[in-house]
Amino acid sequence: MCARLVGQGIDAGLLTKPFHQQRTPAGSSSGEYFISSNLFWTVANFRQFTAEIRLLVQYMRRHYDYVGLIGLSSGGFQAGLASDCEDVDFLFPVMTGCALGSVTWYGLLTRHIRRALERRGVTESDLNKVWSITDQAVLGQHCRAKFRKQYISLYDRVVPTEYQLKLWEVYGKPDRFLLKSSHSSFYFSRAEIIDDIARYVRHCIGK
């Protein structure tokens, strides 16, 4: 996806979260320690990655006329948080949402976290309260992105669609692109989304 953006004249960098993909500790699975049933550890991880995004935005500001963020899936949580703190020209939430406790509670890939929390007596409401400090449901009204367009997967069971639509409302119902896909079948829409983002950027900056 980044290479396709570069091919259309938009420089792009790929960020990797702590404990995810190339940053996965030996002997663990990707993302296992990033979003977990350790509630405050998860908050600390969100804070760490948001700080990394903010540092990169500040660096890019010194080198580019326009700076934007694409937040894909759970990466949209931290991209959104960074946009609350930094002036960015573009924000593109892709298959991401808010009400993070509820996303985790009902998401297909986080059922094991729900079970672990239920065994400790933690409820969905408790989880939303604890994670509210990281949640655009609470903070999204402070988003500083000048232009926003959201990409919503209509048949999503990983980040359930209702919470993607809730984020769209929090952001003031910006332009949106409705994907007739699930979380996984988004794979087949990647080129279409990147091409649409490139067109949107060129339109907004008058090129």
Side-chain angles (χ1 to χ4, degrees):
M1 293 174 71
C2 287
R4 194 175 183 92
L5 274 177
V6 171
Q8 300 196 47
I10 299 174
D11 286 352
L14 177 63
L15 282 75
T16 302
K17 304 172 195 168
F19 308 114
H20 195 56
Q21 296 174 338
Q22 294 92 337
R23 299 174 75 177
T24 302
S28 64
S29 59
S30 179
E32 178 181 354
Y33 296 119
F34 188 72
I35 299 177
S36 72
S37 59
N38 186 328
L39 303 184
F40 299 105
W41 175 246
T42 299
V43 170
N45 291 337
F46 275 45
R47 180 181 182 183
Q48 171 66 29
F49 191 43
T50 301
E52 293 175 6
I53 298 171
R54 292 187 63 191
L55 183 64
L56 184 61
V57 168
Q58 293 166 14
Y59 174 83
M60 292 299 182
R61 273 284 172 218
R62 299 195 295 270
H63 298 276
Y64 289 92
D65 294 329
Y66 303 96
V67 176
L69 296 170
I70 300 173
L72 178 64
S73 188
S74 63
F77 306 156
Q78 297 85 42
L81 291 170
S83 74
D84 296 339
C85 305
E86 302 292 336
D87 293 319
V88 294
D89 299 289
F90 298 97
L91 176 65
F92 298 104
V94 182
M95 296 191 305
T96 191
C98 64
L100 302 185
S102 297
V103 169
T104 301
W105 212 253
Y106 299 109
L108 188 65
L109 299 182
T110 48
R111 290 178 296 185
H112 65 290
I113 296 176
R114 173 179 176 171
R115 290 193 294 268
L117 293 172
E118 286 180 320
R119 286 194 294 269
R120 292 175 7 218
V122 177
T123 67
E124 176 190 355
S125 177
D126 295 334
L127 189 56
N128 276 316
K129 288 176 182 176
V130 172
W131 283 354
S132 63
I133 195 172
T134 69
D135 198 339
Q136 289 296 81
V138 177
L139 304 169
Q141 61 182 312
H142 303 295
C143 179
R144 292 159 64 170
K146 185 176 181 181
F147 300 107
R148 308 169 202 173
K149 187 168 185 177
Q150 187 169 345
Y151 297 81
I152 298 169
S153 42
L154 293 175
Y155 310 113
D156 205 319
R157 296 176 60 200
V158 174
V159 180
T161 303
E162 65 179 289
Y163 302 111
Q164 297 185 44
L165 292 170
K166 182 176 176 65
L167 179 65
W168 178 69
E169 292 176 354
V170 168
Y171 282 151
K173 299 183 177 180
D175 291 339
R176 66 182 184 180
F177 191 117
L178 301 178
L179 301 164
K180 295 180 180 179
S181 74
S182 67
H183 209 78
S184 298
S185 62
F186 163 81
Y187 178 87
F188 301 104
S189 302
R190 295 172 303 155
E192 183 181 13
I193 297 309
I194 290 302
D195 292 349
D196 188 75
I197 287 174
R199 283 192 299 269
Y200 184 82
V201 168
R202 287 193 295 266
H203 170 76
C204 291
I205 65 176
K207 290 186 178 180

